[in-house]
Amino acid sequence: MPYLESLRVFVRVVELGSITAGGRDLRMSPAVASNRIKDLETRYGVRLLNRTTRKLVPTEVGRAFYDNARRVIETLDEAEAVVSGFSGNPHGALRITAPLGLGRRLIAPLVPKFCDEYPGVELRLRLSDRNVDIIADGIDLAFFLGEPQDSALKWRRIAECPRVLVTTQAYLDAHGCPESPEDLVGHNCLLLRYPRSPEYYWVLQTPEGPQKLLVNGKFDADDGDVLTGWALAGRGIVNRPRYEVAEQLASGELVAVLPQFPPIPSQFGVLTPHRRLQDPKVRLFADFIARETRGLFG
């Protein structure tokens, strides 16, 4: 088992580019992870990794070793998945990612209940509104709101998530209330932006069909909750999933803008890597989230 653990460490260090990141991903200290790499290099009498000014990169022999070690780990994981499927007792780590708002409000609160049902599973949740490299980061399930872009991944639609344009009444009193989609062009629209972000425009539903608007504004951020906070402060109009601002709409803190022209809904779904055999706990967690969130979006 120490040898297999060393293989896992080496594979994750190569994929993440550092001993610290690889060790953290496997819940071990950098010192322990470093010793696992040294054990392999001592065992074979070769250098597997070279350190550059920015990251660790595999040597020529290290790259060849990585390709084969990764296949060994994948085969072992598939063998364990077969056993788990027959035993009905899934175990091991499950790596999950989701956007910040979705993860905080929907996924994270359900994690303890899932672990109560399947105590052999360890959940590792990573939340980010940025694009995540699912393959390189070793993610098992990536929940999303929007449309999947990566055709190399399997995706499952869970539900349709309505969206809404919101701001404060004070903002509308100061800047006027838009009466048509075109009126948004003159308003301070709060955008979710990050490198390669798709949300540089909004698409609203109209009687003539979807209307694409190249909106703009003074503020943007890579965290949706920050945008909601700015909207609550009366700083502009934001396009948010309705469930994320439902309480503020009910209390009157936020008001809907152009409710007759709502944004097109987002798809709530999950992405998983293509594998010859899917680990049962991956399917179990996707089924669990679909069941627990049924009816939430109205």
Side-chain angles (χ1 to χ4, degrees):
M1 292 305 291
Y3 177 67
L4 289 175
E5 185 178 71
S6 295
L7 288 184
R8 288 189 183 276
V9 172
F10 175 72
V11 167
R12 292 307 287 152
V13 166
V14 171
E15 290 172 343
L16 298 179
S18 82
I19 288 176
T20 299
R24 184 188 303 117
D25 186 69
L26 296 171
R27 295 186 175 180
M28 62 179 60
S29 70
V32 171
S34 179
N35 286 334
R36 292 287 183 263
I37 301 297
K38 290 177 182 177
D39 288 345
L40 289 174
E41 292 180 329
T42 300
R43 180 187 182 102
Y44 296 112
V46 295
R47 178 177 290 277
L48 297 172
L49 297 171
N50 283 326
R51 184 182 297 277
T52 69
T53 55
R54 300 185 65 182
K55 62 186 295 187
L56 289 177
V57 295
T59 61
E60 182 178 358
V61 67
R63 171 54 62 181
F65 185 70
Y66 163 78
D67 292 337
N68 287 277
R70 179 174 54 81
R71 285 195 290 271
V72 169
I73 297 302
E74 288 176 351
T75 300
L76 178 61
D77 288 343
E78 288 185 356
E80 291 181 342
V82 170
V83 174
S84 295
F86 277 103
S87 69
N89 183 30
H91 67 278
L94 196 55
R95 295 177 174 84
I96 301 164
T97 188
L100 289 168
L102 179 70
R104 288 169 180 161
R105 291 175 178 83
L106 297 188
I107 308 300
L110 293 171
V111 164
K113 182 177 180 180
F114 181 83
C115 289
D116 287 343
E117 292 185 21
Y118 303 101
V121 178
E122 300 175 4
L123 265 294
R124 302 177 184 176
L125 181 61
R126 304 289 180 265
L127 303 182
S128 175
D129 277 334
R130 292 175 175 265
N131 288 327
V132 176
D133 189 328
I134 294 171
I135 303 299
D137 291 345
I139 299 297
D140 296 304
L141 300 102
F143 291 92
F144 66 89
L145 281 176
E147 293 293 336
Q149 303 295 319
D150 195 334
S151 60
L153 300 169
K154 295 171 60 177
W155 80 281
R156 169 181 172 180
R157 179 184 178 276
I158 296 176
E160 194 172 76
C161 176
R163 303 184 69 92
V164 61
L165 302 181
V166 295
T167 188
T168 60
Q169 187 60 52
Y171 174 87
L172 296 178
D173 291 342
H175 301 279
C177 184
E179 296 182 359
S180 69
E182 293 81 5
D183 292 342
L184 289 172
V185 176
H187 282 269
N188 192 39
C189 296
L190 308 170
L191 297 180
L192 183 69
R193 286 187 175 178
Y194 47 84
R196 297 177 298 280
S197 169
E199 194 178 317
Y200 289 93
Y201 56 85
W202 291 344
V203 182
L204 304 189
Q205 302 176 74
T206 73
E208 292 74 32
Q211 183 174 350
K212 184 176 180 178
L213 298 166
L214 299 177
V215 294
N216 212 330
K218 297 179 181 179
F219 315 137
D220 61 60
D222 62 358
D223 183 332
D225 284 347
V226 169
L227 301 181
T228 301
W230 285 337
L232 285 165
R235 295 295 184 168
I237 300 171
V238 68
N239 179 348
R240 301 297 290 146
R242 177 174 284 277
Y243 81 92
E244 291 195 10
V245 293
E247 291 185 9
Q248 292 90 344
L249 283 169
S251 69
E253 291 179 273
L254 293 173
V255 295
V257 176
L258 295 174
Q260 70 276 34
F261 303 111
I264 59 171
S266 295
Q267 298 299 317
F268 171 39
V270 61
L271 293 163
T272 56
H274 278 283
R275 288 174 180 153
R276 288 175 296 173
L277 179 66
Q278 188 177 69
D279 191 322
K281 62 181 177 285
V282 172
R283 175 184 53 79
L284 283 171
F285 192 77
D287 289 347
F288 172 81
I289 293 298
R291 182 176 69 250
E292 293 294 323
T293 58
R294 187 176 295 126
L296 179 66
F297 302 109

